[in-house]
């Protein structure tokens, strides 16, 4: 009942507030529509009509000026060629008529819409007065102007002056009527504007009142609902802050049997689970990647269900380390291994990789769901490999200091292999011990590619699928088509040379010459291929892949492969 009561109160608050907001919104919308229509009348009818009448006064004055120019020109000019002046005079008369007609149409439209603050009679009177001004005063004025022009042809100066005076009087009469109409229209315009403002203020006050009422009701209901839950919720909040601060030793006391009491019980159980998970993380966090630990704790089914996914696997090994470690003391070897693994593991972790295991001096890592976005796994693995190579000079400097020697007995470098493809992901092992790892041909391929660096003298060899996924982040060159040990179908193998757009001019030339040599090699053009690889070697001396192909071509020139040769190479060792 308590739970239902709280829910009903909250729903009641929501319903009341929604109803009040709906009423406020409807009133506001009606007001906006009404005020918008009135503003349209003001901007599209009243003000333009007023402007037409004002321009009609101006056109009347301009017409009077043109009439005087016509009279002066007619009386003073010997040629009496006043055609242009007469045309300008007539044009001003036409402009006057157009302005009057436009004003008449706008006023007529307002009458049809029943405007003018609800009193259409005022607009009808204006229209009647405007028609009278045009039909009566305008007709008399035009008749008098016609007589004046006829007298002008006769050249009688005294009668011309008298007629011109009558014309001025009739024009002043017409302008006076138009001024009166404009003044009355301005009164109507102001009245409509005042009415619009009053309606807007009224609706604004109503909306403000309803908003205030909603706020008051919401506050009252909120106080009623919160009175019974504030105290236990505050205790829960204090407990949550303690958990956030890392304190998992305290529990929140349960003081009721309602839904707040159930929530408090669940909170205490959560704290107990957090204690357990924290102990597990502290115990296994340094032996297993913390993300795997968290995944297995949060999703226990990962521990019992295997899944087939597309993953990217990386193998890293140290060249020349086995012979070097033979002369080290156990203490020195532990220091070197810890430094090496710490240094090389950092790029993998920084690029979201999961370190699966350390195998002697080798590192196995993988990328893919649910730890890495599927579309980014190949790119992240390739960038991690490049970063690992960048750290090799640092290791070459640090390791002699750890051993207490000036230089390492043998050259220290990395060999990395990366492959992308289907793998089996899951907890694999016996009933006594399991390892959450990846298995399958892709894992074997990554391992074989790491070992293939010995054959080709490279540092980072990747599969075709990896290259396809990382092509937007790295620059590479195709090395060969290889069938590794344990696989029958050959596939393209690439060497990552640098980050995207970071190849030096020499590396660009090397890649072009090497690509040419590889193409001719596959077409059995042995001599041309050897010259291309020699040119590549001249650009970058000691380029391992170029040396490998030159040695291979020296043998092929003496003993070419069979007719069924498909241009691929089979690696017979790991």
């Amino acid at each position: 009942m308590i739970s239902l009561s709280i829910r009903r109160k909250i729903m009641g608050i929501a319903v009341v507030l929604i109803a009040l907001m709906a009423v406020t919104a409807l009133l506001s919308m009606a007001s906006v529509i009404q005020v918008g229509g009135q503003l349209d009348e003001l901007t599209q009818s009243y003000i333009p009509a007023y402007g037409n009448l004002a321009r009609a006064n101006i056109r009347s004055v301009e017409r009077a000026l043109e009439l005087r120019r016509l009279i002066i020109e007619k009386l003073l000019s010997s040629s009496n060629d006043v055609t242009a002046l007469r045309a300008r005079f007539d044009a001003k008369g036409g402009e006057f008529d157009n302005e009057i007609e436009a004003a008449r149409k706008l006023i007529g439209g307002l009458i049809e819409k029943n405007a003018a603050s609800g009193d259409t009679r005022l607009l009808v009177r204006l229209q009647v007065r405007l028609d009278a001004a045009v039909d009566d005063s305008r007709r008399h004025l035009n008749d008098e102007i016609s007589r004046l022009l006829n007298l002008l042809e006769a050249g009688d100066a005294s009668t011309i002056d008298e007629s011109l005076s009558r014309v001025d009087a009739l024009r002043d009469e017409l302008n006076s009527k138009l001024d009166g109409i404009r003044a009355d229209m301005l009164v109507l315009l102001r009245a409509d504007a005042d009415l619009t403002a009053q309606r807007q203020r009224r609706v604004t006050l109503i909306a403000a009142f309803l908003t205030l009422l909603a706020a008051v009701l919401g506050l009252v209901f909120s106080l009623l609902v919160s009175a019974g839950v504030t105290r236990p919720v505050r205790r829960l909040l204090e407990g949550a802050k303690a958990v956030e601060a890392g304190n998992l030793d305290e529990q929140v006391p349960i003081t009721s049997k309602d839904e707040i009491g159930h929530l408090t019980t669940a909170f205490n159980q959560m704290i107990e689970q957090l204690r357990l998970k924290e102990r597990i993380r502290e115990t296994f966090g340094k032996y297993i990647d913390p993300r795997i630990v968290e995944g297995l704790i949060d999703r226990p089914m990962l521990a019992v269900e295997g899944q087939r996914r597309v993953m990217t696997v990386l193998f890293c090994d140290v060249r020349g380390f086995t012979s070097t470690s033979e002369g080290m003391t156990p203490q020195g070897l532990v220091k070197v291994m810890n430094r090496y693994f710490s240094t090389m593991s950092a790029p993998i972790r920084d690029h979201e990789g999961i370190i699966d295991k350390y195998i002697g001096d080798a590192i196995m890592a993988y990328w893919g769901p649910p730890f890495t976005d599927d579309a980014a796994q190949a790119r992240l693995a390739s960038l991690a490999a490049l970063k690992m190579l960048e750290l090799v000079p640092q290791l070459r400097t640090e390791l002699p200091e750890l051993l207490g020697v000036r230089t390492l007995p043998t050259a220290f470098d990395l060999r990395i292999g990366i492959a992308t493809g289907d793998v089996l992901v899951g907890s694999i092992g016996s009933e006594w011990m399991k390892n959450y790892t990846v298995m399958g041909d892709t894992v074997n391929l990554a391992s074989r590619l790491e070992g293939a660096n010995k054959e080709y003298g490279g540092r980072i060899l990747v599969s075709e699928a990896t290259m396809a996924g990382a092509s937007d982040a790295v620059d590479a060159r195709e090395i060969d088509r290889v069938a590794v040990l344990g696989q029958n179908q050959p596939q393209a193998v690439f060497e990552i040379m640098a980050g995207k757009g970071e190849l030096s001019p020499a590396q660009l030339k090397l890649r072009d010459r090497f690509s040419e040599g590889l193409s001719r090699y596959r077409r059995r053009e042995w001599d041309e291929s050897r010259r291309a690889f020699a040119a590549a070697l001249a650009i970058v001396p000691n380029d391992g892949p170029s040396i490998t192909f030159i040695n291979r071509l020296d043998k092929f020139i003496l003993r070419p492969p069979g007719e069924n040769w498909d241009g691929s190479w089979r690696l017979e060792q790991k």
Side-chain angles (χ1 to χ4, degrees), residues 279-297:
R279 286 196 296 270
I280 294 174
R281 290 190 182 96
E282 290 177 356
T283 303
F284 296 102
K286 294 183 179 180
Y287 294 89
I288 306 174
D289 191 289
R291 285 176 292 173
I292 296 179
V293 176
E294 292 176 2
L296 293 176
I297 293 174

Side-chain angles (χ1 to χ4, degrees), residues 215-248:
V216 172
L217 290 177
L219 180 61
V220 171
F221 281 113
S222 298
L223 290 174
L224 292 175
V225 173
S226 63
V229 299
T230 301
R231 190 176 299 105
V233 168
R234 186 179 296 113
R235 284 195 293 266
L236 279 173
L237 179 60
E238 292 172 354
K241 290 182 178 179
V243 172
E244 183 182 8
N247 184 5
L248 302 177

Side-chain angles (χ1 to χ4, degrees), residues 279-558:
R279 286 196 296 270
I280 294 174
R281 290 190 182 96
E282 290 177 356
T283 303
F284 296 102
K286 294 183 179 180
Y287 294 89
I288 306 174
D289 191 289
R291 285 176 292 173
I292 296 179
V293 176
E294 292 176 2
L296 293 176
I297 293 174
D298 297 333
R299 298 183 295 277
M301 294 305 296
L302 290 177
V304 296
E305 292 183 355
Q307 293 181 332
R308 187 161 292 279
R309 295 174 179 164
V310 174
M311 306 281 277
T312 298
V313 183
L314 176 147
F315 275 86
C316 168
D317 198 1
V318 179
R319 184 180 69 183
F321 187 75
T322 302
S323 59
T324 301
S325 62
E326 292 176 352
M328 296 183 187
T329 64
Q331 295 81 2
L333 181 58
V334 170
K335 289 181 181 179
V336 169
M337 294 297 291
N338 287 341
R339 174 65 69 181
Y340 159 68
F341 284 131
S342 297
T343 303
M344 291 304 157
S345 298
I348 296 174
R349 297 291 298 275
D350 292 343
H351 290 82
E352 304 179 23
I354 300 294
I355 298 175
D356 185 81
K357 60 177 67 74
Y358 299 123
I359 311 169
D361 59 349
I363 302 174
M364 176 183 169
Y366 58 84
W367 284 257
F371 311 107
T372 311
D373 182 64
D374 186 51
Q377 56 176 285
R379 174 176 58 83
L380 292 171
S382 300
L383 293 176
L386 285 174
K387 184 61 178 180
M388 293 166 74
L389 289 187
E390 290 181 13
L391 297 176
V392 169
Q394 173 186 331
L395 271 178
R396 287 174 179 162
T397 302
E398 294 177 353
L399 294 185
E401 295 180 359
L402 291 175
L403 295 174
V405 297
R406 293 185 177 180
T407 59
L408 290 175
T410 59
F412 177 88
D413 205 352
L414 294 183
R415 293 192 300 262
I416 299 174
I418 306 175
T420 301
D422 286 337
V423 298
L424 176 64
V425 186
S427 295
I428 299 172
S430 67
E431 59 180 310
W432 297 282
M433 188 176 72
K434 295 181 181 293
N435 181 27
Y436 189 83
T437 185
V438 294
M439 297 179 62
D441 289 342
T442 300
V443 179
N444 296 332
L445 177 59
S447 177
R448 301 294 186 267
L449 290 178
E450 180 272 315
N453 282 289
K454 302 176 184 178
E455 172 78 16
Y456 290 96
R459 304 178 77 189
I460 306 176
L461 292 182
V462 303
S463 68
E464 186 173 7
T466 302
M467 193 61 239
S471 58
D472 62 337
V474 297
D475 281 321
R477 58 173 169 171
E478 184 179 357
I479 293 298
D480 202 354
R481 288 185 58 81
V482 174
V484 300
L485 185 64
Q487 295 183 351
N488 295 323
Q489 293 298 325
Q491 60 176 293
V493 175
F494 295 81
E495 180 190 29
I496 295 178
M497 303 175 69
K500 194 69 174 179
E502 297 178 0
L503 289 178
S504 66
Q507 287 177 309
L508 290 171
K509 293 179 182 178
L510 169 67
R511 186 172 63 177
D512 292 340
R513 297 287 76 77
F514 189 89
S515 177
E516 177 188 354
L518 187 61
S519 176
R520 293 183 179 275
Y521 166 81
R522 290 170 177 168
R523 296 199 299 266
R524 293 173 172 264
E525 299 173 0
W526 313 126
D527 294 334
E528 292 83 352
S529 175
R530 193 184 192 286
R531 281 194 291 271
F533 285 124
L537 197 59
I539 297 170
V540 178
N542 300 321
D543 179 54
S546 297
I547 294 174
T548 298
F549 272 95
I550 289 175
N551 294 334
R552 189 183 298 176
L553 284 166
D554 289 339
K555 298 176 182 178
F556 278 3
I557 292 173
L558 296 176

Side-chain angles (χ1 to χ4, degrees), residues 40 71 146 148 215 278 381 444-445 509:
D40 287 341
I71 294 171
S146 297
L148 174 61
E278 188 63 26
N444 296 332
L445 177 59
K509 293 179 182 178

Side-chain angles (χ1 to χ4, degrees), residues 7-17 221:
R7 182 175 65 182
R8 286 175 180 174
K9 289 179 181 179
I10 294 174
M11 291 300 298
I13 294 173
V15 170
V16 172
L17 293 179
F221 281 113

Side-chain angles (χ1 to χ4, degrees), residues 139-171:
R139 184 178 64 255
H140 292 315
L141 176 61
N142 288 338
D143 292 343
E144 189 61 38
I145 289 175
S146 297
R147 284 193 293 272
L148 174 61
L149 294 176
N150 292 331
L151 293 173
L152 187 62
E153 293 293 334
D156 188 348
S158 60
T159 56
I160 289 173
D161 289 339
E162 294 177 0
S163 180
L164 183 60
S165 297
R166 288 193 295 274
V167 168
D168 290 340
L170 290 172
R171 187 187 66 253

